[in-house]
Amino acid sequence: VFRSDLPLSFLLGVGNLERDFQADLVASAKGVHLLTLSPRKANTGVSEIQIAVESGSHDITRVFIEDAAGNGWTFHFDNFQRGVVLDATLFELKVPQGVDIVEFGS
């Protein structure tokens, strides 16, 4: 699933949700909306993506990705901080010796 462009583009924020997914509201309770995103195209490697979104802030607090084989990955997000300045060195890639790099979409 992570060799497919679809889940990676979703997680990296570079995809187009309206173009790539059919979104359905599954449930709303206690200030959280649960959405299911179904891929519009076949053979993407993804069965569905579920996201939990806080109704007031619109923060995504949980993402569940299920691949075509039924395997699933859950990501939890919390302790949101806005307007925080980060040191640019946090984003410098230091590849350890002997590690292969797989390019996005390859």
Side-chain angles (χ1 to χ4, degrees):
V1 71
F2 287 106
R3 288 194 171 254
S4 167
D5 287 353
L6 193 59
L8 284 174
S9 64
F10 171 78
L11 290 172
L12 294 172
V14 297
N16 182 317
L17 289 177
E18 190 172 358
R19 179 196 66 214
D20 297 335
F21 295 96
Q22 168 65 43
D24 295 299
L25 178 64
V26 176
S28 290
K30 298 181 183 178
V32 177
H33 302 297
L34 181 61
L35 301 163
T36 296
L37 305 177
S38 303
R40 292 190 185 273
K41 295 180 182 176
N43 301 321
T44 61
V46 177
S47 174
E48 72 176 22
I49 297 176
Q50 294 178 359
I51 60 173
V53 181
E54 290 186 3
S55 59
S57 64
H58 301 114
D59 289 335
I60 295 175
T61 57
R62 183 177 55 83
V63 174
F64 172 76
I65 300 174
E66 182 177 317
D67 69 14
N71 301 304
W73 295 267
T74 302
F75 303 87
H76 293 272
F77 306 99
D78 60 14
N79 195 23
F80 294 97
Q81 298 178 19
R82 291 173 173 77
V84 176
V85 178
L86 299 174
D87 188 335
T89 60
L90 289 172
F91 301 97
E92 291 176 4
L93 178 62
K94 296 178 181 130
V95 180
Q97 187 174 12
V99 172
D100 293 330
I101 296 178
V102 178
E103 294 292 330
F104 177 67
S106 60

Short mmCIF file of all heavy atoms in Angstrom, two decimals, residues 52-75:
data_model
loop_
_atom_site.label_atom_id
_atom_site.label_comp_id
_atom_site.label_asym_id
_atom_site.label_seq_id
_atom_site.Cartn_x
_atom_site.Cartn_y
_atom_site.Cartn_z
N ALA A 52 -10.81 10.49 11.54
CA ALA A 52 -11.58 11.09 12.62
C ALA A 52 -11.20 12.57 12.67
O ALA A 52 -10.02 12.90 12.76
CB ALA A 52 -11.28 10.41 13.95
N VAL A 53 -12.22 13.44 12.60
CA VAL A 53 -12.00 14.88 12.53
C VAL A 53 -12.76 15.54 13.67
O VAL A 53 -13.97 15.31 13.83
CB VAL A 53 -12.50 15.45 11.18
CG1 VAL A 53 -12.26 16.94 11.09
CG2 VAL A 53 -11.86 14.71 10.01
N GLU A 54 -12.08 16.38 14.45
CA GLU A 54 -12.75 17.14 15.51
C GLU A 54 -13.63 18.21 14.87
O GLU A 54 -13.19 18.93 13.97
CB GLU A 54 -11.73 17.77 16.44
CG GLU A 54 -11.01 16.77 17.30
CD GLU A 54 -10.10 17.42 18.33
OE1 GLU A 54 -10.07 18.67 18.44
OE2 GLU A 54 -9.42 16.67 19.04
N SER A 55 -14.88 18.31 15.32
CA SER A 55 -15.83 19.20 14.66
C SER A 55 -15.48 20.68 14.84
O SER A 55 -15.67 21.47 13.92
CB SER A 55 -17.25 18.93 15.16
OG SER A 55 -17.32 19.12 16.56
N GLY A 56 -14.97 21.09 15.97
CA GLY A 56 -14.68 22.51 16.20
C GLY A 56 -13.42 22.99 15.51
O GLY A 56 -13.42 24.00 14.80
N SER A 57 -12.35 22.26 15.68
CA SER A 57 -11.04 22.68 15.16
C SER A 57 -10.75 22.13 13.77
O SER A 57 -9.85 22.61 13.08
CB SER A 57 -9.93 22.19 16.10
OG SER A 57 -9.91 20.77 16.14
N HIS A 58 -11.46 21.09 13.37
CA HIS A 58 -11.22 20.35 12.13
C HIS A 58 -9.87 19.64 12.12
O HIS A 58 -9.35 19.28 11.07
CB HIS A 58 -11.35 21.26 10.89
CG HIS A 58 -12.70 21.88 10.80
ND1 HIS A 58 -12.89 23.23 10.92
CD2 HIS A 58 -13.94 21.34 10.63
CE1 HIS A 58 -14.18 23.50 10.82
NE2 HIS A 58 -14.83 22.37 10.64
N ASP A 59 -9.30 19.44 13.30
CA ASP A 59 -8.06 18.66 13.41
C ASP A 59 -8.33 17.20 13.11
O ASP A 59 -9.34 16.64 13.57
CB ASP A 59 -7.47 18.77 14.82
CG ASP A 59 -6.90 20.13 15.14
OD1 ASP A 59 -6.52 20.85 14.20
OD2 ASP A 59 -6.85 20.48 16.34
N ILE A 60 -7.46 16.57 12.35
CA ILE A 60 -7.54 15.13 12.09
C ILE A 60 -6.80 14.45 13.24
O ILE A 60 -5.61 14.65 13.43
CB ILE A 60 -6.92 14.77 10.73
CG1 ILE A 60 -7.74 15.40 9.61
CG2 ILE A 60 -6.84 13.25 10.57
CD1 ILE A 60 -7.15 15.21 8.23
N THR A 61 -7.54 13.66 14.01
CA THR A 61 -6.96 13.03 15.20
C THR A 61 -6.58 11.57 14.99
O THR A 61 -5.79 11.03 15.75
CB THR A 61 -7.93 13.13 16.39
OG1 THR A 61 -9.18 12.52 16.04
CG2 THR A 61 -8.15 14.59 16.77
N ARG A 62 -7.17 10.94 13.96
CA ARG A 62 -6.84 9.54 13.69
C ARG A 62 -7.03 9.27 12.21
O ARG A 62 -7.97 9.75 11.59
CB ARG A 62 -7.73 8.60 14.50
CG ARG A 62 -7.38 7.13 14.33
CD ARG A 62 -8.23 6.22 15.21
NE ARG A 62 -9.66 6.39 15.03
CZ ARG A 62 -10.38 5.80 14.05
NH1 ARG A 62 -9.78 5.02 13.18
NH2 ARG A 62 -11.67 6.00 13.96
N VAL A 63 -6.12 8.47 11.65
CA VAL A 63 -6.24 8.01 10.27
C VAL A 63 -6.01 6.51 10.26
O VAL A 63 -5.05 6.01 10.85
CB VAL A 63 -5.18 8.69 9.35
CG1 VAL A 63 -5.23 8.10 7.95
CG2 VAL A 63 -5.38 10.20 9.31
N PHE A 64 -6.92 5.78 9.62
CA PHE A 64 -6.78 4.34 9.46
C PHE A 64 -6.77 4.06 7.96
O PHE A 64 -7.67 4.48 7.23
CB PHE A 64 -7.94 3.59 10.12
CG PHE A 64 -7.95 2.12 9.83
CD1 PHE A 64 -7.06 1.27 10.46
CD2 PHE A 64 -8.84 1.58 8.90
CE1 PHE A 64 -7.06 -0.10 10.18
CE2 PHE A 64 -8.85 0.22 8.62
CZ PHE A 64 -7.96 -0.61 9.26
N ILE A 65 -5.74 3.37 7.50
CA ILE A 65 -5.62 3.01 6.08
C ILE A 65 -5.67 1.50 5.97
O ILE A 65 -4.90 0.80 6.64
CB ILE A 65 -4.30 3.54 5.47
CG1 ILE A 65 -4.24 5.06 5.58
CG2 ILE A 65 -4.16 3.09 4.02
CD1 ILE A 65 -2.91 5.66 5.14
N GLU A 66 -6.58 1.00 5.13
CA GLU A 66 -6.69 -0.44 4.89
C GLU A 66 -6.33 -0.72 3.44
O GLU A 66 -6.86 -0.08 2.52
CB GLU A 66 -8.10 -0.93 5.17
CG GLU A 66 -8.24 -2.44 4.98
CD GLU A 66 -9.62 -2.94 5.33
OE1 GLU A 66 -10.18 -2.50 6.35
OE2 GLU A 66 -10.16 -3.75 4.56
N ASP A 67 -5.41 -1.67 3.24
CA ASP A 67 -5.02 -2.00 1.87
C ASP A 67 -5.96 -3.06 1.29
O ASP A 67 -6.85 -3.56 1.97
CB ASP A 67 -3.56 -2.42 1.79
CG ASP A 67 -3.24 -3.75 2.44
OD1 ASP A 67 -4.17 -4.53 2.75
OD2 ASP A 67 -2.04 -4.02 2.65
N ALA A 68 -5.75 -3.36 0.03
CA ALA A 68 -6.62 -4.30 -0.69
C ALA A 68 -6.57 -5.71 -0.10
O ALA A 68 -7.50 -6.49 -0.27
CB ALA A 68 -6.25 -4.33 -2.17
N ALA A 69 -5.50 -6.05 0.62
CA ALA A 69 -5.37 -7.38 1.22
C ALA A 69 -5.96 -7.43 2.63
O ALA A 69 -5.92 -8.46 3.29
CB ALA A 69 -3.90 -7.79 1.26
N GLY A 70 -6.48 -6.30 3.12
CA GLY A 70 -7.09 -6.28 4.45
C GLY A 70 -6.14 -5.88 5.57
O GLY A 70 -6.53 -5.87 6.73
N ASN A 71 -4.89 -5.55 5.24
CA ASN A 71 -3.95 -5.06 6.25
C ASN A 71 -4.29 -3.62 6.58
O ASN A 71 -4.71 -2.86 5.72
CB ASN A 71 -2.51 -5.13 5.73
CG ASN A 71 -2.12 -6.54 5.37
OD1 ASN A 71 -2.21 -7.44 6.18
ND2 ASN A 71 -1.71 -6.74 4.12
N GLY A 72 -4.08 -3.24 7.84
CA GLY A 72 -4.43 -1.88 8.25
C GLY A 72 -3.35 -1.21 9.06
O GLY A 72 -2.58 -1.87 9.76
N TRP A 73 -3.30 0.12 8.93
CA TRP A 73 -2.37 0.95 9.69
C TRP A 73 -3.17 2.08 10.32
O TRP A 73 -4.00 2.71 9.64
CB TRP A 73 -1.29 1.56 8.78
CG TRP A 73 -0.40 0.54 8.18
CD1 TRP A 73 0.80 0.10 8.67
CD2 TRP A 73 -0.60 -0.18 6.97
NE1 TRP A 73 1.33 -0.85 7.83
CE2 TRP A 73 0.48 -1.04 6.78
CE3 TRP A 73 -1.63 -0.19 6.02
CZ2 TRP A 73 0.59 -1.89 5.68
CZ3 TRP A 73 -1.53 -1.04 4.94
CH2 TRP A 73 -0.42 -1.87 4.78
N THR A 74 -2.93 2.34 11.59
CA THR A 74 -3.61 3.43 12.28
C THR A 74 -2.58 4.44 12.74
O THR A 74 -1.55 4.08 13.32
CB THR A 74 -4.40 2.91 13.49
OG1 THR A 74 -5.35 1.94 13.05
CG2 THR A 74 -5.13 4.04 14.20
N PHE A 75 -2.87 5.72 12.48
CA PHE A 75 -2.02 6.83 12.90
C PHE A 75 -2.85 7.71 13.83
O PHE A 75 -3.97 8.10 13.49
CB PHE A 75 -1.55 7.66 11.70
CG PHE A 75 -0.82 6.86 10.66
CD1 PHE A 75 -1.49 6.20 9.64
CD2 PHE A 75 0.57 6.78 10.71
CE1 PHE A 75 -0.81 5.47 8.69
CE2 PHE A 75 1.27 6.04 9.75
CZ PHE A 75 0.57 5.38 8.75
#
